[in-house]
Amino acid sequence: MVKKEDIYRNDEVYPKRLLDLKATIESKKTFCFMVPTSWDFHIISHTWTDPFRLLVKDCSAVLAGIGWTRENDPDGKIYMDTISGVDFSEKSYYAPVIEFLSYLYADGVKYVWLDGVCINQYDNIEMASEMHYMGGFYSLSIACYVAPHGIGSPNGFKGLTTTNTLPRWFTRVWTLQEYILPEKLYFLVEKFDDEVTKFIQEDENSHVEDKAWIDWDSGEDLSINSLIPTGTSIGDFSRRKASGDLYFLGGMAYFEMMGTLLHVHVHGYKDVSPKLFEEFYEAFGEIAAGIEDIHMETLVKQIRVRYASSEEDRVLGILGLIGFKGEYSLETGETFCLVTFS
């Protein structure tokens, strides 16, 4: 077992650039940047959707069109000036990105790191450098906002996908460190529809913690009814309205909400297998958000079972977690091995 405090946190290298949310939203057409000089910013965790990939592709095409080279832009200023000069307003992906950023801005976020545009994806050297320091970005920034289905997904911000499976965020290697490292996690989700709420109200098997999701605006302290042990440095149980039916849930509040939603689908609708409970707890419950103690066996298993586009990507996606210091015994099959991180 190790603690989050044992993970190496590089506190000297800031991201190359951040999005200035006020300027970006007010532009109504582009992305505006600023260069950070402190860790006073937020960060986003998401999996890339097709619309988001198109955004990244278009940015690279713009740079190719002007003949951009790293040699001519050593400080990245040309990149920022070029992208902020592009009118993206008619692009199908722009509105979903701005919508998501607007929710964060309304929640008090001023500056945020969003990988697809804050890293020059046309510059392989910058990409490699930012990946190396990414663990520090997620560890030392103020808080991390999560879009479980990605930005611009047809699943929107619902708890499950349209085919009643877990959000893709639970299955990717890259999101593992983005889940473990932040001091605070906030998930943007849509509240339960009337049918789910009615089932919770009428189901005699609903638990006390399930009842807390009948009224999302109750302001009730969710930790009172939680089955999660108190006395540990747990993420938070906060629940606050973002807009309309959308809410920001602290890490543990999200954990409780998903448990209730899966209960309804398994026992009420019978449209998902109880195995989905197991998959959810394996992907989320075994490394509870914000808890300081991390089981190395669980971490190794998560790295093994999560999806990666390549084995190289599997390693790159956990660079921020390789900074553990000390020696730890790991069970591998029927043997034990000693692993040293220094």
Side-chain angles (χ1 to χ4, degrees):
M1 182 180 293
V2 295
K3 295 182 179 297
K4 287 175 65 174
E5 65 187 26
D6 292 327
I7 301 174
Y8 170 69
R9 290 175 165 88
N10 171 74
D11 60 359
E12 299 177 351
V13 180
Y14 303 120
K16 290 278 289 186
R17 60 192 67 87
L18 304 172
L19 284 178
D20 181 327
L21 291 193
K22 185 175 187 295
T24 295
I25 293 168
E26 290 182 350
S27 77
K28 298 182 179 180
K29 65 178 182 179
T30 194
F31 299 99
C32 301
F33 301 97
M34 58 87 67
V35 178
T37 56
S38 74
W39 294 105
D40 190 21
F41 62 89
H42 293 75
I43 198 163
I44 293 171
S45 176
H46 67 123
T47 60
W48 287 20
T49 58
D50 288 341
F52 195 82
R53 291 181 187 280
L54 184 56
L55 163 60
V56 173
K57 181 179 179 180
D58 282 356
C59 288
S60 293
V62 168
L63 296 176
I66 66 169
W68 182 94
T69 64
R70 181 176 179 82
E71 291 72 20
N72 293 333
D73 189 20
D75 60 0
K77 187 176 186 303
I78 294 177
Y79 170 82
M80 292 188 288
D81 290 345
T82 300
I83 297 303
S84 62
V86 176
D87 185 348
F88 294 96
S89 61
E90 297 301 316
K91 299 292 186 177
S92 60
Y93 50 70
Y94 187 70
V97 173
I98 294 302
E99 177 189 23
F100 183 76
L101 296 179
S102 296
Y103 295 138
L104 272 57
Y105 182 64
D107 201 45
V109 176
K110 295 181 179 180
Y111 310 110
V112 72
W113 189 82
L114 177 60
D115 55 4
V117 290
C118 290
I119 297 178
N120 179 353
Q121 304 287 330
Y122 191 64
D123 181 355
N124 289 332
I125 295 178
E126 180 177 308
M127 287 175 59
S129 175
E130 295 294 87
M131 285 179 187
H132 177 71
Y133 295 115
M134 204 176 292
F137 301 171
Y138 280 93
S139 297
L140 299 168
S141 53
I142 298 172
C144 177
Y145 285 84
V146 181
H149 297 291
I151 300 173
S153 166
N155 296 301
F157 299 101
K158 295 184 179 298
L160 299 175
T161 67
T162 55
T163 56
N164 295 328
T165 57
L166 293 175
R168 188 168 179 264
W169 186 84
F170 285 96
T171 67
R172 306 298 295 180
V173 163
W174 277 100
T175 55
L176 181 60
Q177 69 173 7
E178 297 167 11
Y179 161 51
I180 293 175
L181 295 177
E183 289 300 315
K184 294 181 180 179
L185 276 175
Y186 300 121
F187 294 77
L188 182 60
V189 295
E190 183 179 320
K191 76 175 184 179
F192 296 157
D193 59 31
D194 292 340
E195 189 176 1
V196 173
T197 302
K198 181 179 179 181
F199 178 84
I200 297 171
Q201 289 175 314
E202 299 177 352
D203 180 26
E204 60 182 19
N205 294 317
S206 290
H207 300 138
V208 174
E209 60 271 19
D210 296 328
K211 302 292 186 182
W213 298 100
I214 293 175
D215 180 7
W216 285 49
D217 295 311
S218 65
E220 179 183 0
D221 182 353
L222 300 179
S223 64
I224 294 176
N225 298 325
S226 172
L227 296 179
I228 304 298
T230 57
T232 53
S233 178
I234 273 180
D236 71 51
F237 290 86
S238 64
R239 176 175 60 185
R240 60 188 184 278
K241 184 186 287 287
S243 177
D245 290 338
L246 297 180
Y247 290 74
F248 288 116
L249 303 184
M252 287 297 97
Y254 182 78
F255 179 91
E256 297 282 1
M257 180 279 294
M258 287 293 289
T260 295
L261 182 60
L262 289 172
H263 166 82
V264 173
H265 277 272
V266 171
H267 300 288
Y269 303 157
K270 301 186 186 302
D271 56 4
V272 301
S273 165
K275 189 176 185 299
L276 200 61
F277 266 117
E278 299 175 20
E279 295 175 357
F280 169 67
Y281 280 93
E282 285 180 355
F284 192 92
E286 291 185 355
I287 314 175
I291 291 180
E292 293 301 310
D293 294 334
I294 300 172
H295 292 271
M296 287 295 292
E297 290 85 355
T298 299
L299 188 60
V300 170
K301 184 181 73 173
Q302 286 296 312
I303 294 170
R304 175 175 56 83
V305 302
R306 287 178 178 238
Y307 293 108
S309 57
S310 67
E311 292 311 302
E312 179 185 22
D313 209 44
R314 187 181 303 280
V315 175
L316 293 174
I318 61 166
L319 287 180
L321 299 174
I322 299 180
F324 287 121
K325 298 180 180 179
E327 295 183 337
Y328 304 96
S329 296
L330 301 180
E331 183 176 359
T332 57
E334 298 179 354
T335 63
F336 282 85
C337 62
L338 189 65
V339 179
T340 302
F341 295 96
S342 59

